[in-house]
Amino acid sequence: MKQYNIKIKNKLKCLIQLLLPANRTGMFYNYLKKNILLFLTITPFALISQEIGIGEWRDHLPYENTVSVTASSQKIYCATPYSLFYLNKSDNSINRLTRISGLSDIGIVKIGFSKDYNTLLIAYSNTNLDLIKGNTIINMRDILNSSAVTPEEKVINNLIFIDNLAYLSCGFGIVVLDMENEEIVDTYYIGPNGIHLNVLDLAYNDTSFFAATESGIYMAYTDSPNLAYFGSWSKDESLPFPNATYSHITFNQDKLFVNKYSTAYASDTILYCDNSQWNYNNLFQHGNVKNMRTFDDVLYITHTYYLRGYTTDLNEVLNIWTYNYEVNPNSRDMIVDDDIIWIADGAKGLVRRNDGNNFSYIYPNGPQIPDVFDMSISNNKLWVVAGGRNLSWNSLFKYGNTSSFIDEEWNTFNRNNTPALDSIRDLVVVAVNPTNSNQVFMGSWSLGMVEFENQEYKGLYTPENSGLNYKSNEGPPVCKVGGLAFDNSGNLWATSSYAERILSVRLPDGSDFGDWYSFNLGSFSSTQDVGRLIIDSYDQKWIMVRAEHSLIVFNDNGTITQPGDDQVKILSSASGNGAIPGNKVFSIANDNDGEIWIGTDEGISVIYSPENVFSNYNFDAQRILIPRNDGTGLADILLEFETVTAIAVDGANNKWIGTDRSGVFHLSPDGQKELQHFTEQNSPLFSNNITSISINQTTGEVFFGTAKGIISYKSTATGGSETIVSAYAYPNPVRSGYNGPIAIIGLPENADFKITDISGKLVYSGIAQGGQAIWYGTTHEGRRVQTGVYMVFVTDINGPNSVTTESRGSRIVAGDKTNSTLVTKILFIN
């Protein structure tokens, strides 16, 4: 670390010399030098920060599960079912290629590289195609958009290159793609009478094509004048099983090898044709064959749990049963490049065989699986649970799986590395303790609640050791915890579905399991599936219910241990009792003004006065009306036809709304203005089906849980800070050519900020969005500022006495009589 800092300082010393005036004498020289040096000492974090920029995206996808591998002269490409990454051979760096990089889709099944045309071909599970030529991505949606094939037939099973053409083995036939001209040039329907036939693989020699299909092996001569005509293709009836499904086919010298696929475990059969005679050799043991490839006259057979290689004389020259004598392969694909074997493995990413049984595992960091049902973040620590339940609120029986994103690193915990999770199913809710972010609780839709501390499993809470309750219509051991929330006193509240006492609270008393109390909220609640739980600004507990248009509100009146003053209300669609729209409540959130935002299958409604729930005053939910502004005087109900699956509130009180089919809506605090709308069509968002949204209030990064994985976006708003000692600017220095936003982070909520040049002249001013100010490096007139050091001063709108300045110092800004605080300095290089 010391060496790294020395390098930074040495570079900045050179920068100082460029910024200082040529005549390095006098008061101005000394003043400028002093302030630049102060800049160096005041903003060390900004110099080494790895944050993404405002308006930028980053993926949080799994990379250990890989399905296909290929190579160019400079790179090894490896695909996952979600994206791909590549290894630079020259410096061993790892880089990602995702929708953020410009890929058109998610869900890769096969990749191949044409060295003749220096082009990477990516085939997606929905038959979408991308060609990558240099830095250009060409999307080809011909098969995807075709009406000539059914959705079930839109499958790409394999691909090969011959000269300038790529041949795609598809669920309906063979598609021929011209790599040079970037166009589909032909389609072969090779079944009898031209019927669609599922082609699983294709091989060729000097005279013929051989297609492995779901109904035998078909052959055609390469010089046939019309390969698109089904009559050019004939089935090989000499096979011992002429009508069987053959999944893989390849040549090794003059021998043609095929794999007869079987649905039974480890029952595939490899046959080979030599001198027009089909043979079976006991050398090829039964197994599940994933791929067959030939490199340098060696036939490589990729099985699920091992790999083998054979010469043309069928002598075994490779047998990989384990990696490093530690784990068995879960191989899906392989290549040989520069005499190195590279394996796409289902659990270890890209595997490189160094020599003998010495292997290396290569993949970018990420969670192990893409599933996300709920997320929670506190103090820059994000936790994700990957369970779920179906539309009838029944269990999916997914093994317990949770991941953490801490210090820019993902770690996953499951039954493989945390044996206690082997018996847990369907983790559906997670809550990070806001007063101790090392402590995390997770609710299971099967056996109670799990606790992690310092990223280690700590214990399981059940009705036997806590206030949780068994599901009354099933009994032990079923305890379904669907809601978790911390109150301002650090107490953890939890819901137990369909239980006599559906609400419980854990009071931390220093013991391992805490002191628990449980609450019976009436006969209605005891017969309901209950889920998500939030706590509002008035310490009232809001519980989502499976029953139609219902919510349960509970108030203990600040006396948890004294139930005599408890209050319960069941909200419904009835006027005067909540007026909840739609049939189902899917999401709920408490905003910065204390209002309750409710997401249903008919959009959004807001309870503006939740403090009135237990009074005689009106508290009904209100729909947000958006004026059409077309002269009719009419208005539309906000998101009336959307199912709102997630609601999150950022530091500026803006709302992030997730839906089940229309992506994410970013709305103003009152919901009247659409600030942004992200979909998979107009953004890198992986899916329009949003399962969860969580916001890092410190940095403004918004994490979207989607049906296809997690992706995050850096927004302009952060949570306000009680002190501005930790304020900093990013990026800093601002280098030549950068025209994006500059964020001043760590400010009091909605504070006034002013930016001056080194002489104190006001350059720009504004109001922070939550705890973050945004500046685009221009004056109020829109002119780009010149090279130099710029000071950022902040005035807390709550009064100067609430601002802790410590070493930052104060200064009267020119033209302003308010005592402002210098929070950071920004270095511009134009």
Side-chain angles (χ1 to χ4, degrees):
M1 189 65 182
K2 289 182 179 179
Q3 184 179 1
Y4 180 70
N5 285 334
I6 289 171
K7 289 180 179 179
I8 289 177
K9 289 181 179 179
N10 287 339
K11 290 182 179 179
L12 287 170
K13 282 181 180 179
C14 297
L15 191 57
I16 291 171
Q17 305 305 316
L18 293 174
L19 291 172
L20 291 175
N23 180 16
R24 297 175 181 176
T25 60
M27 292 181 60
F28 178 69
Y29 167 77
N30 291 327
Y31 177 71
L32 187 58
K33 180 178 179 181
K34 177 182 177 181
N35 276 277
I36 294 177
L37 290 175
L38 176 61
F39 157 78
L40 293 177
T41 61
I42 205 170
T43 56
F45 179 83
L47 297 176
I48 60 175
S49 172
Q50 300 300 311
E51 292 184 50
I52 61 172
I54 291 173
E56 292 182 357
W57 298 77
R58 63 171 165 172
D59 79 273
H60 304 274
L61 291 170
Y63 286 94
E64 296 178 50
N65 174 15
T66 62
V67 295
S68 187
V69 60
T70 190
S72 70
S73 56
Q74 298 90 22
K75 301 170 183 176
I76 304 295
Y77 294 92
C78 192
T80 77
Y82 323 104
S83 61
L84 64 87
F85 62 94
Y86 62 86
L87 174 74
N88 255 319
K89 299 178 186 178
S90 59
D91 59 7
N92 289 323
S93 63
I94 303 174
N95 301 272
R96 309 177 188 214
L97 284 174
T98 69
R99 281 178 57 86
I100 299 172
S101 314
L103 297 188
S104 64
D105 222 321
I106 192 168
I108 301 173
V109 292
K110 202 70 181 176
I111 58 174
F113 195 88
S114 170
K115 292 185 178 179
D116 292 337
Y117 290 88
N118 197 32
T119 300
L120 178 69
L121 173 58
I122 304 171
Y124 297 95
S125 58
N126 61 1
T127 66
N128 199 3
L129 298 171
D130 277 342
L131 300 177
I132 301 183
K133 296 184 175 183
N135 295 322
T136 303
I137 300 176
I138 301 99
N139 180 227
M140 303 185 66
R141 307 176 70 86
D142 304 62
I143 307 174
L144 177 61
N145 293 336
S146 174
S147 59
V149 293
T150 66
E152 294 75 20
E153 294 173 328
K154 290 184 179 180
V155 178
I156 297 176
N157 298 305
N158 218 328
L159 57 90
I160 62 171
F161 298 103
I162 305 175
D163 298 327
N164 66 312
L165 301 177
Y167 292 81
L168 311 180
S169 301
C170 300
F172 52 88
I174 300 167
V175 172
V176 186
L177 167 64
D178 188 324
M179 302 287 288
E180 183 177 13
N181 296 315
E182 303 157 11
E183 62 180 354
I184 302 293
V185 294
D186 217 339
T187 301
Y188 307 156
Y189 298 109
I190 68 174
N193 299 315
I195 65 170
H196 294 188
L197 188 62
N198 187 8
V199 179
L200 299 166
D201 200 4
L202 189 66
Y204 69 99
N205 60 14
D206 292 338
T207 63
S208 305
F209 284 110
F210 297 85
T213 80
E214 65 181 358
S215 180
I217 302 294
Y218 282 75
M219 185 272 290
Y221 293 109
T222 55
D223 59 0
S224 174
N226 187 7
L227 287 169
Y229 173 52
F230 69 88
S232 300
W233 296 81
S234 59
K235 180 186 285 191
D236 188 342
E237 300 288 353
S238 67
L239 274 160
F241 312 96
N243 299 316
T245 296
Y246 293 90
S247 57
H248 302 284
I249 187 167
T250 190
F251 274 98
N252 189 16
Q253 291 285 25
D254 294 330
K255 294 185 177 71
L256 178 63
F257 293 82
V258 300
N259 178 63
K260 177 180 169 289
Y261 172 76
S262 172
T263 56
Y265 175 74
S267 297
D268 287 0
T269 304
I270 296 175
L271 309 171
Y272 67 94
C273 185
D274 187 15
N275 292 323
S276 302
Q277 181 68 41
W278 286 101
N279 302 276
Y280 170 76
N281 194 313
N282 288 327
L283 183 68
F284 303 121
Q285 295 184 1
H286 291 296
N288 296 110
V289 176
K290 294 295 183 180
N291 212 335
M292 296 197 306
R293 292 202 185 198
T294 301
F295 297 95
D296 299 323
D297 296 334
V298 175
L299 170 68
Y300 295 90
I301 303 176
T302 304
H303 297 267
T304 303
Y305 299 115
Y306 57 93
L307 293 90
R308 287 183 167 183
Y310 303 91
T311 65
T312 54
D313 296 327
L314 302 184
N315 295 316
E316 185 179 282
V317 292
L318 177 73
N319 193 336
I320 299 176
W321 285 88
T322 68
Y323 298 145
N324 302 321
Y325 301 104
E326 296 173 344
V327 296
N328 295 113
N330 187 7
S331 46
R332 309 286 182 81
D333 191 13
M334 62 82 61
I335 60 168
V336 178
D337 182 73
D338 294 333
D339 297 325
I340 298 174
I341 293 176
W342 301 87
I343 303 166
D345 191 271
K348 293 298 181 180
L350 174 62
V351 179
R352 169 181 169 147
R353 183 174 185 252
N354 302 313
D355 56 67
N357 201 37
N358 180 11
F359 295 85
S360 302
Y361 313 131
I362 303 164
Y363 50 85
N365 179 247
Q368 284 189 3
I369 62 175
D371 299 356
V372 50
F373 195 78
D374 190 39
M375 299 187 289
S376 176
I377 190 167
S378 180
N379 193 28
N380 296 311
K381 296 176 181 178
L382 173 71
W383 283 79
V384 178
V385 289
R389 53 180 176 245
N390 62 23
L391 294 176
S392 299
W393 287 51
N394 293 320
S395 299
L396 298 179
F397 301 105
K398 292 184 177 181
Y399 282 104
N401 188 298
T402 181
S403 298
S404 66
F405 185 56
I406 300 173
D407 296 330
E408 299 296 305
E409 182 178 359
W410 281 98
N411 285 288
T412 297
F413 308 92
N414 52 37
R415 59 179 180 151
N416 295 325
N417 55 23
T418 309
L421 293 179
D422 183 63
S423 61
I424 304 296
R425 299 291 186 274
D426 293 322
L427 293 175
V428 295
V429 63
V430 57
V432 181
N433 190 341
T435 60
N436 175 17
S437 57
N438 293 319
Q439 186 181 43
V440 185
F441 294 88
M442 303 158 202
S444 153
W445 206 240
S446 62
L447 293 179
M449 184 176 74
V450 172
E451 180 183 1
F452 273 72
E453 189 166 19
N454 296 315
Q455 298 198 83
E456 293 184 355
Y457 175 85
K458 186 175 180 181
L460 174 67
Y461 293 77
T462 71
E464 303 302 320
N465 60 11
S466 72
L468 301 173
N469 275 225
Y470 290 119
K471 194 168 188 285
S472 58
N473 60 349
E474 292 189 54
V478 180
C479 174
K480 297 188 174 185
V481 177
L484 295 172
F486 282 92
D487 63 23
N488 290 330
S489 299
N491 303 314
L492 175 64
W493 294 79
T495 62
S496 299
S497 187
Y498 220 107
E500 179 182 355
R501 296 174 177 267
I502 67 164
L503 185 63
S504 306
V505 59
R506 176 187 184 272
L507 281 62
D509 62 354
S511 64
D512 284 343
F513 292 97
D515 188 17
W516 284 82
Y517 293 87
S518 299
F519 306 88
N520 186 318
L521 305 189
S523 58
F524 170 81
S525 66
S526 299
T527 59
Q528 297 299 316
D529 282 318
V530 294
R532 193 173 304 278
L533 162 73
I534 68 163
I535 301 175
D536 68 17
S537 304
Y538 305 94
D539 208 31
Q540 299 174 139
K541 289 72 185 176
W542 297 69
I543 303 170
M544 286 174 45
V545 185
R546 179 189 171 195
E548 293 187 358
H549 41 69
S550 294
L551 283 169
I552 300 174
V553 186
F554 170 74
N555 188 359
D556 60 71
N557 279 301
T559 58
I560 291 175
T561 61
Q562 300 175 23
D565 59 354
D566 292 351
Q567 294 174 292
V568 179
K569 179 162 284 192
I570 312 299
L571 306 190
S572 68
S573 60
S575 178
N577 194 53
I580 299 172
N583 293 313
K584 299 286 185 181
V585 175
F586 287 90
S587 54
I588 186 170
N590 180 48
D591 79 359
N592 300 345
D593 292 332
E595 299 166 354
I596 302 297
W597 286 60
I598 301 170
T600 74
D601 53 354
E602 292 186 8
I604 291 284
S605 63
V606 183
I607 295 180
Y608 292 101
S609 302
E611 70 275 17
N612 291 341
V613 169
F614 294 103
S615 72
N616 293 323
Y617 296 100
N618 178 53
F619 66 89
D620 278 353
Q622 304 295 314
R623 309 296 291 270
I624 297 175
L625 300 179
I626 309 299
R628 293 183 181 176
N629 296 321
D630 58 1
T632 63
L634 300 176
D636 295 309
I637 296 174
L638 176 66
L639 304 179
E640 180 181 10
F641 303 106
E642 300 292 347
T643 295
V644 175
T645 55
I647 306 173
V649 183
D650 66 22
N653 208 25
N654 297 318
K655 310 305 186 295
W656 295 83
I657 310 296
T659 67
D660 69 338
R661 60 180 181 178
S662 299
V664 176
F665 294 85
H666 182 200
L667 305 178
S668 61
D670 60 4
Q672 289 285 330
K673 183 179 180 181
E674 181 182 294
L675 306 176
Q676 293 167 303
H677 180 201
F678 296 132
T679 69
E680 58 183 293
Q681 287 74 35
N682 68 12
S683 76
L685 197 66
F686 298 142
S687 169
N688 288 332
N689 184 355
I690 308 300
T691 60
S692 182
I693 301 176
S694 190
I695 301 176
N696 187 335
Q697 301 291 356
T698 303
T699 65
E701 189 168 7
V702 186
F703 293 82
F704 305 112
T706 80
K708 296 180 181 178
I710 301 172
I711 189 170
S712 62
Y713 172 82
K714 186 69 171 291
S715 73
T716 57
T718 66
S721 173
E722 295 181 0
T723 172
I724 55 176
V725 173
S726 59
Y728 64 94
Y730 182 85
N732 196 9
V734 181
R735 303 190 182 278
S736 177
Y738 178 77
N739 296 309
I742 301 130
I744 301 99
I745 301 169
L747 307 182
E749 185 175 351
N750 301 327
D752 289 315
F753 72 95
K754 293 178 174 61
I755 298 172
T756 75
D757 62 17
I758 206 163
S759 68
K761 180 182 178 182
L762 183 65
V763 173
Y764 188 84
S765 63
I767 299 175
Q769 300 182 43
Q772 179 170 265
I774 302 298
W775 181 42
Y776 282 85
T778 62
T779 66
H780 275 299
E781 293 75 28
R783 295 192 300 271
R784 184 75 171 174
V785 298
Q786 297 179 348
T787 296
V789 177
Y790 293 83
M791 273 85 64
V792 180
F793 296 90
V794 167
T795 303
D796 186 358
I797 61 173
N798 295 317
N801 293 331
S802 65
V803 177
T804 304
T805 61
E806 293 189 6
S807 62
R808 291 297 192 228
S810 297
R811 173 188 177 91
I812 300 295
V813 178
D816 189 349
K817 296 181 180 180
T818 304
N819 191 37
S820 299
T821 302
L822 172 64
V823 297
T824 190
K825 299 188 178 186
I826 304 172
L827 176 60
F828 259 81
I829 309 166
N830 283 330

